[in-house]
Amino acid sequence: MIEQMKVLSFTHFVQGPAAAQYLADLGADVITVEPLSGAWERREGSGGMRLNGRSITFLSVNRNKRSMAIDLKHPEAATALEPLIASADVLLENYRGGALARLGLGYDAVRAINPAIIYASATGWGARGPMADRPGVDLLVQARAGLAAATGTPRNPHAAGTPVVDHHGAALLAMGVLAAYTRRLTTGAGTRVEASLLAAGLDLQAESFALYHSAGRRREDLERPPASACWSIDAPYGIYRLADGASVALAISGPMDGLGAALGSDEVAAFDGTARRIRRREYTELLAEVLGSLTYPEVEQRLAPAGFWFERVADYDDVLTDPQVVAEELVARMPVGDSEAHVLRHPIRFDGQRPPVTRPPAELGEHTREVLREVGLGEARIDELFVTGVISEPRAQQVNS
């Protein structure tokens, strides 16, 4: 779909690489420009977890890309970088503010080489304001953006349990690049695209934030019983523990007045809509007690015929074999040596198909020579760059393999 787009990805951690992976899935030629030691997610990765010596974080966000390894601080780095920049449609980066500029790769310097470039940056906190130069990562943004307080409560905040801001931020960054690319195709103009984890963390809460401030709510209104899933939506909307150790999520499916009858509880049935709202904690705790005496099969038997919306709470083992997940082909098995990694596929279908995995995550510098040939460097000059240490031979620089 975007096979003509060429992207230079100066990214690390999760947000930037995941954004580049979305673009690569859609057909863009994404060249990951890594330091000679490899990007962080290749060298380390979350929790140090590895499969056959490969960082699993790296495996999850680097398919369908090519890799070149270069010492950006080397005085001859420009020999390789300038023709790459001149031939690119997009430069994507998520280094801390000013880091690439200090290496001669800031927006103005890159635009001087390629005036039509789409220069897309993702930062933790944005490029302006008192926190512009501070490190920003997913958890810190969950805290600062109010997400931890909304996931738990202000008195008992909780992180979301997975780096949701990183991944939402990646999708927003990719969306920004695609919008700028559409503009470039129609006008020929480049664009400065700026995204941040802070903006992504707030964007995840667009409805909740508007409800809170537009309705004049207070911090106390965010406090809620443990079973309640959202401060702004009344019970039974929530997650409840059952007698057999399972948990059930109850959502809203229209009028809830019949819930008490379906559960066989006159006490629950006695709460009308007004009472459920005004006596929210009492109602939620009562409902939790009633559901806590039932098993999941019993809940299913009582609620399904009445048309209520509910689901059993799954864990990651359940998700892997979930018939709906399998039918939607959302998980892929990717060979890693003599093992297999389970990774998620691209989340969107196009004409009924999900974008394929055309390249496994590349070895460090695997495509350095290939990429430099494509931008016009001769073999002799490429060999010189290898000898002087500007770029690295792939086999000599495999990291932790």
Side-chain angles (χ1 to χ4, degrees):
M1 282 156 286
I2 53 172
E3 287 81 2
Q4 303 306 311
M5 180 193 286
K6 183 174 179 179
V7 180
L8 298 182
S9 177
F10 294 81
T11 60
H12 57 171
F13 298 113
V14 173
Q15 180 196 20
Q21 179 172 270
Y22 284 133
L23 298 174
D25 286 348
L26 298 179
D29 177 14
V30 176
I31 301 165
T32 298
V33 183
E34 301 184 60
L36 299 185
S37 59
W40 173 87
E41 71 276 7
R42 182 192 291 275
R43 292 182 289 105
E44 302 291 339
S46 298
M49 298 181 192
R50 312 188 78 78
L51 178 65
N52 271 2
R54 313 280 185 89
S55 159
I56 296 174
T57 298
F58 178 80
L59 295 176
S60 70
V61 293
N62 279 285
R63 64 173 171 255
N64 292 338
K65 305 177 189 179
R66 297 193 285 173
S67 169
M68 69 174 295
I70 183 168
D71 179 0
L72 295 178
K73 298 179 181 179
H74 197 287
E76 292 190 58
T79 301
L81 291 173
E82 288 187 6
L84 280 173
I85 291 168
S87 67
D89 299 299
V90 180
L91 188 150
L92 185 69
E93 64 95 9
N94 70 325
Y95 280 77
R96 285 179 66 177
L100 281 190
R102 289 190 290 273
L103 294 169
L105 293 168
Y107 173 63
D108 291 334
V110 167
R111 193 167 179 272
I113 299 169
N114 184 346
I117 195 80
I118 297 166
Y119 194 102
S121 298
T123 59
W125 305 105
R128 300 155 188 82
M131 297 183 68
D133 294 329
R134 289 179 59 177
V137 296
D138 185 287
L139 181 59
L140 301 184
V141 172
Q142 287 195 43
R144 182 93 181 196
L147 184 57
T151 303
T153 69
R155 292 196 187 104
N156 188 26
H158 286 287
T162 186
V164 293
V165 178
D166 269 341
H167 291 281
H168 184 56
L172 293 178
L173 180 58
M175 181 177 70
V177 169
L178 291 173
Y181 188 59
T182 300
R183 178 190 184 194
R184 189 177 192 266
L185 291 175
T186 55
T187 70
T191 306
R192 179 81 162 95
V193 177
E194 297 178 79
S196 73
L197 290 177
L198 176 61
L202 287 170
D203 189 65
L204 282 168
Q205 305 170 82
E207 180 196 22
S208 183
F209 191 84
L211 289 169
Y212 182 90
H213 285 291
S214 300
R217 296 303 180 97
R218 301 165 300 170
R219 283 189 176 88
E220 303 89 85
D221 296 315
L222 295 179
E223 298 292 338
R224 62 184 190 275
S228 181
C230 181
W231 72 268
S232 62
I233 302 178
D234 297 323
Y237 191 84
I239 296 177
Y240 302 86
R241 191 74 170 167
L242 304 177
D244 56 0
S247 293
V248 64
L250 294 182
I252 291 175
S253 55
M256 304 303 294
D257 291 337
L259 182 60
L263 292 174
S265 171
D266 293 337
E267 290 177 283
V268 172
F271 282 77
D272 61 15
T274 301
R276 288 195 294 271
R277 183 168 295 110
I278 295 175
R279 297 159 59 195
R280 178 183 186 183
R281 180 170 291 276
E282 181 184 349
Y283 175 72
T284 306
E285 291 174 351
L286 171 63
L287 185 57
E289 182 180 345
V290 171
L291 287 167
S293 68
L294 302 173
T295 64
Y296 185 81
E298 291 171 334
V299 170
E300 187 174 34
Q301 184 179 24
R302 296 181 187 207
L303 297 189
F308 290 102
W309 295 353
F310 65 94
E311 283 295 340
R312 186 180 189 127
V313 175
D315 60 22
Y316 282 0
D317 288 332
D318 300 321
V319 171
L320 186 63
T321 57
D322 186 308
Q324 187 61 31
V325 174
V326 172
E328 278 294 303
E329 302 175 308
L330 288 164
V331 178
R333 293 183 176 183
M334 186 167 62
V336 181
D338 57 2
S339 299
E340 284 187 324
H342 287 90
V343 295
L344 296 181
R345 296 186 63 186
H346 190 82
I348 308 297
R349 286 185 185 272
F350 300 90
D351 295 327
Q353 302 298 318
R354 297 192 186 280
V357 177
T358 57
R359 293 180 186 270
E363 298 295 343
L364 176 61
E366 180 179 344
H367 306 99
T368 302
R369 187 178 291 273
E370 173 182 296
V371 167
L372 293 179
R373 281 196 203 106
E374 291 173 358
V375 295
L377 269 69
E379 291 297 327
R381 185 61 179 130
I382 294 172
D383 287 339
E384 288 176 7
L385 294 176
F386 278 125
V387 170
T388 56
V390 181
I391 54 181
S392 66
E393 291 281 11
R395 294 184 182 280
Q397 287 292 338
Q398 301 224 356
V399 177
N400 292 328
S401 58

